[in-house]
Amino acid sequence: MYAKTFLAALLAPIAVTAQLHELAVRAGLEYFGTALREGALNSDSQFTAILRDTREFGQIVPENGQKWESTQPQRGQFTYAQGDITANEAKRNGQLLRCHTLTWHSQLPSWVSSGSWTRSSLEAVIDSHMSNVMGHYKGQCYHWDVVNEAINDDGTWRDSVFYRVFGTDYLPISFKIAKKYDTQAKLYYNDYNLEYNQAKTNRAVEIVNIIKAAGAPIDGVGFQGHLIVGSTPSRANLATTLRRFTALGVEVAYTELDIRHSSLPASSSAQVTQGNDFANVVGSCLDVKGCVGVTVWSYTDKYSWVPSTFNGAGDALIYDSQFRKKAAWTSISSVLAAAATGAPASSSVVIPPASTTFSTVVASSTRASSTAQATPTQAPTEPEQTRWGQCGGNGWAGPTKCQSPYTCQVLNPWYSQCL
Ligand code: 9MR
């Protein structure tokens, strides 16, 4: 067995130097990421420097630049200047790019929302939008949020131009069209307030079922995670909710996480509560096989959509407005470090052969996604990972083979996965 002293010696440098993405990958997630506020890049050197720290953020997503009003403000006129800011940045830094978003009622130009459409004319509009926008970003998007926010908070269907013309058919139609124009990106349904496991969550489960029943492809469900300090569900309840979706055969991710204080300034105890809430959200992702990553919706309180939408509320992120790490940052790093370095859980982790170096133990994760097993006393056989298990990446010394029919695919320099 592994001597605690050796582990402690290994833990020290990790605790000192590691940042959130680095820890997240060591803990078995694919990434820890952030949204990029386009206007802040280059105009704010502190913002830009932290955003470019790939140990901190291994994935970025445009906060606004790829939305319909930015990419096709007038019919047939496509512009990518705003969307390219984040795409180019991801390329420059070697970060994964989440792409956001296509069929959405909001930030939708009035030529679409107020147009007079038949099913076939609106389908042609969606097709043309996806053909152009997805074509422009083809090969760059790790995920695409194909449909965004189709449900009201009470679980009823949102009244959008898409719903009025197609009923729920626009859901599978959008996913089928999306697949035509990018066969590699993982296609997501993305929404907020799914975390509470109530009527809206039930409807999102129905969305996955509707899409699959129509023979359309869907790979993931994004939990936006716009939450409130002190009202965030427990880690166990969040995990239970995520599992409702992974049980349907789709992956999940927290895609727009922020946890706002309802009133400001936040007391020190409210800041601790915020830290615990963040830790519970990130912890729930670690607990669920098929939860692939966590993205904060901007990382600094200097740039957040919250204060302009919720009067008096704010400070919802993990760095303060002067770019100092908050208690929330520390809580997240602790929960990730614990998962990255904790003792292997007997039922769920790849236990390396006895001869394996200690770096393997650290690189192995205790999270639920790794399932192949070998006992330390057995002659080293070649273990195989199941679907979603890690099978390669810098520092990885675990199994590199996948169980059939999955193959080991390189997602980034730190992480290859059985898909
Ligand atoms: O953060 C975005 C903000 O700058 C925009 O003004 C706003 C307009 O709708 O959209 C915000 O981002 C939203 C995201 O695209 C979808 N989920 C909710 C986010 C917060 O409103």
Side-chain angles (χ1 to χ4, degrees), residues 207-249:
I207 284 182
V208 175
N209 288 329
I210 287 172
I211 291 167
K212 284 180 173 261
I218 176 168
D219 300 298
V221 172
F223 282 61
Q224 292 184 6
H226 294 299
L227 300 168
I228 303 168
V229 172
S231 303
T232 298
S234 68
R235 177 168 172 166
N237 286 348
L238 287 164
T240 298
T241 307
L242 295 177
R243 283 193 197 100
R244 291 186 67 188
F245 293 85
T246 56
L248 302 175

Side-chain angles (χ1 to χ4, degrees), residues 23 93 100 160 206 245 300 347 371:
L23 287 170
N93 305 331
H100 173 84
S160 67
E206 190 184 334
F245 293 85
T300 162
S347 62
T371 50

Side-chain angles (χ1 to χ4, degrees), residues 35 37-38 62-64 67 69 100-101 104 106-107 148-149 190-192 224 226 256 258 297 304-306 308-310:
R37 169 77 54 103
E38 290 84 358
E63 186 170 345
N64 288 299
K67 295 171 180 176
E69 70 176 8
H100 173 84
T101 180
W104 187 31
S106 179
Q107 291 176 282
N148 203 39
E149 301 173 0
N190 191 48
D191 212 333
Y192 57 89
Q224 292 184 6
H226 294 299
E256 304 182 12
D258 49 29
W297 202 242
S304 168
W305 69 290
V306 169
S308 57
T309 304
F310 299 100

Side-chain angles (χ1 to χ4, degrees), residues 143-165:
H143 297 170
W144 254 115
D145 289 331
V146 175
V147 177
N148 203 39
E149 301 173 0
I151 321 168
N152 293 317
D153 276 344
D154 65 0
T156 55
W157 294 107
R158 187 184 291 280
D159 177 40
S160 67
V161 64
F162 305 110
Y163 184 71
R164 284 194 293 278
V165 171

Side-chain angles (χ1 to χ4, degrees), residues 43 47 93 101 118-119 163 193 198 225 268 279 286 333-334 394:
S43 70
F47 174 83
N93 305 331
T101 180
T118 62
R119 282 175 69 107
Y163 184 71
N193 289 351
Q198 293 176 344
S268 53
L286 292 168
S333 74
S334 303
N394 290 345

